[in-house]
Amino acid sequence: MNNTHNPFDLPIRRSPLRTRRDVEEALLRLLAPVESRFTPGDAGLCLGAFQAHYGTAAAQMEGFSRMLWGLAPLWVHRREDRWLPRFRRGLVHGCDPAHPAYWGEVADCDQRIVEMAAIALTLMLDGGALALTGAEAEQIHAWLDQVNRRVLPHNNWLFFRVLVNSAFRLLGWPFDGARLEADLDELEGFFLGDGWYCDGEPTQMDYYIPFAMHYYGLIYAACMEGHDPERSRRFKARAARFAGDFLYWFEDGGRAVPFGRSLTYRFGQCAFFSALAFAGVEALPWGVVKSRVLGCLRDWLAQPIFDAGGLLTVGYAYPNLLMSECYNAPGSPYWACKAFLCLALPENHPFWTAQEAVPGLEPLRAIPPARMLAARDRTQVQLFPAGQHCVNELGHCAAKYEKLVYSSRFGFSVPRGDSLEEGAFDCCLAVSEAGRGQYRMQRGFQAFRLEGDRYWRKFSPLPGVEVEVTVTPDFPAHRREYLITTGRPIDIADGGFAIPAEDGDGRPASPGLVEWEPHGVAARFPWAVSAIRCLSGGGEPLLVKAWPNTNLLHPLTRIPTIRLSLPPGRHRVVTLVTGEWLG
């Protein structure tokens, strides 16, 4: 199945992405469409009309700063780049209280604190190239230094202040040494062992661990090693240990599993491997590291993730505001530019000279710190999270963290309502009061265990309803055994993988390709197979026609489902679910 069709013939999609020059050119092509979008004074970018919770001014500043994640590494070896004078001008104006483009005073937990990190990296890598005057440097220092007097969330945000104070220290500017040490000490408390951190919450291990916690730690280690050698050594050692587990989130070709929040950052998924190279951490063969970065970039740049003008959109495999979080503004997707940190490396670095290589990985791996199992073959990766829970209200958190399995090819779905069609309850158990047709999936859990080749979790989807489930991978299938205790009649729907209803050219699958049996249904389309069979407990098979644009990978899907009505009591239900990718 060709699922990478893009109706817009954009220059960025023509790059082979094999060499450093290719990657440099891809970055420049990625940024070219923003050239006409600068706000007066060049301190912001107007990239769209929808809103994030922090409003227009901060969103425009965000758009400006996120380009720097790619440009700052580029300027290390390309200081004559035409973007440099314009971004220098925007930086100076944004930090000047007397200029109309001034970014303003910073509040506690302000979005502009997030964006300070990219400016800090630019100062660390390109301070000389910016050629700031004394007065300009003082104004930039004063604006950034506000972070030392503000309250920050106790999570990866602490690294933003760490990077600002680190940049100050490297440049010989006044810095808050006590605050720097306190933040670094607090970040130590998020380390779980075996290379894994949590992002402030021990029940949440998502892409923020590689593309935030480790990413910033590796920048610190690379830039501050002379000032803080012991902590830099620890950051590098932890990243090296983590790399072996994180490989399991990627297919051989570089495609990653959609899981958790902030998926609109797309190829930011491979930023960790770019940072690993930047910091000189030889945790894996250089050809493997290179293949994770370039393979991921190739996969993403072939997807229809741009609008007609070439701007990155909010969404995942296609533009989709439904799956977004409250903090996604028009410029937010350009956080993906963090993947380009490898451009800070010279062309003769082994990262660039090595031949790409595919790592040899086990078919099933337990990752205890992440509370999950990973199963794979050459066509697909599936993650089985046992004890994940996002405590924040950010947008569809239950769907993003607490389904039974996540697939690199079938993706997952987010709800548009609470009926089976609107809710698109793939890869999870949905529960409703009997006869009401208003379903809910798990949100939060009571207990979990990893048990070798399987996991067990316990949760309550409705008051008075308790569910225990044991999930056993048998790739590309898995077995679900439920023990459901309810004090009143309920309806349950056990959903399989959401299968694309059309091929890559928009041709729908024939209804004749759906196979029915008394307690099971299989959609055997030319590009994939999605099936569910109830082995114990009975049930009615359904092929749910999910509402469009609910799935992150495929705009139109069908979900093989088993529906049962349960009276009060204790029930055992066993299903076998298959998701096989063919195309």
Side-chain angles (χ1 to χ4, degrees), residues 384-444:
F384 294 84
Q388 290 274 355
H389 175 57
C390 178
V391 301
N392 301 307
E393 297 292 341
L394 301 172
H396 304 302
C397 284
K400 292 172 181 177
Y401 288 91
E402 302 189 42
K403 295 198 172 184
L404 301 174
V405 58
Y406 293 83
S407 163
S408 61
R409 290 289 164 169
F410 293 93
F412 69 90
S413 305
V414 295
R416 296 182 65 176
D418 55 15
S419 70
L420 289 183
E421 293 78 12
E422 294 170 297
F425 296 106
D426 59 340
C427 296
C428 68
L429 184 76
V431 181
S432 171
E433 303 279 358
R436 297 191 64 178
Q438 297 175 327
Y439 288 86
R440 293 177 57 184
M441 64 164 289
Q442 173 184 345
R443 181 73 196 269

Side-chain angles (χ1 to χ4, degrees), residues 74-82 84-85 125-130:
L74 175 74
W75 293 335
V76 171
H77 302 288
R78 187 172 169 152
R79 295 193 170 184
E80 76 287 356
D81 179 66
R82 66 184 183 86
L84 181 55
L125 296 184
D126 308 307
L130 293 172

Side-chain angles (χ1 to χ4, degrees), residues 496-509:
F497 292 96
I499 188 169
E502 298 179 336
D503 69 12
D505 296 317
R507 291 187 292 264

Side-chain angles (χ1 to χ4, degrees), residues 169-211:
R169 188 174 186 181
L170 284 176
L171 292 171
W173 295 357
F175 71 99
D176 191 331
R179 177 71 75 182
L180 177 60
E181 285 298 317
D183 288 340
L184 286 166
D185 287 344
E186 185 167 355
L187 286 163
E188 286 288 328
F190 301 149
F191 184 61
L192 303 174
D194 290 333
W196 282 82
Y197 293 88
C198 66
D199 184 21
E201 293 291 339
T203 60
Q204 194 173 327
M205 275 68 69
D206 52 27
Y207 281 103
Y208 274 85
I209 311 312
F211 65 34

Side-chain angles (χ1 to χ4, degrees), residues 225-390:
E225 193 165 18
H227 296 281
D228 190 358
E230 179 54 32
R231 183 176 277 113
S232 297
R233 183 199 62 78
R234 288 202 303 273
F235 282 162
K236 290 183 178 183
R238 291 170 182 174
R241 172 63 183 85
F242 173 82
D245 283 342
F246 190 46
L247 284 174
Y248 281 82
W249 290 31
F250 291 80
E251 294 180 5
D252 289 350
R255 174 170 294 200
V257 180
F259 169 73
R261 67 188 179 100
S262 293
L263 292 173
T264 199
Y265 301 153
R266 294 183 174 109
F267 43 93
Q269 291 165 328
C270 70
F272 165 78
F273 294 106
S274 195
L276 206 66
F278 172 75
V281 180
E282 298 187 54
L284 303 165
W286 285 117
V288 170
V289 178
K290 183 179 182 180
S291 74
R292 296 309 84 185
V293 177
L294 272 58
C296 187
L297 286 171
R298 281 192 293 267
D299 180 73
W300 272 117
L301 296 181
Q303 303 295 328
I305 59 178
F306 303 96
D307 68 16
L311 295 175
L312 276 176
T313 58
V314 170
Y316 194 66
Y318 58 93
N320 187 348
L321 283 175
L322 176 64
M323 56 74 64
S324 67
E325 286 88 19
C326 61
Y327 53 84
N328 292 158
S332 297
Y334 287 91
W335 204 79
C337 289
K338 294 170 83 172
F340 292 103
L341 185 58
C342 55
L343 287 175
L345 302 172
E347 199 162 7
N348 62 357
H349 190 280
F351 173 83
W352 295 115
T353 60
Q355 293 293 316
E356 291 185 52
V358 174
L361 301 176
E362 306 162 38
L364 180 66
R365 183 181 180 96
I367 310 177
R371 306 177 174 194
M372 66 173 57
L373 304 170
R376 63 182 296 114
D377 70 1
R378 62 179 183 81
T379 63
Q380 182 192 176
V381 175
Q382 295 176 359
L383 297 182
F384 294 84
Q388 290 274 355
H389 175 57
C390 178

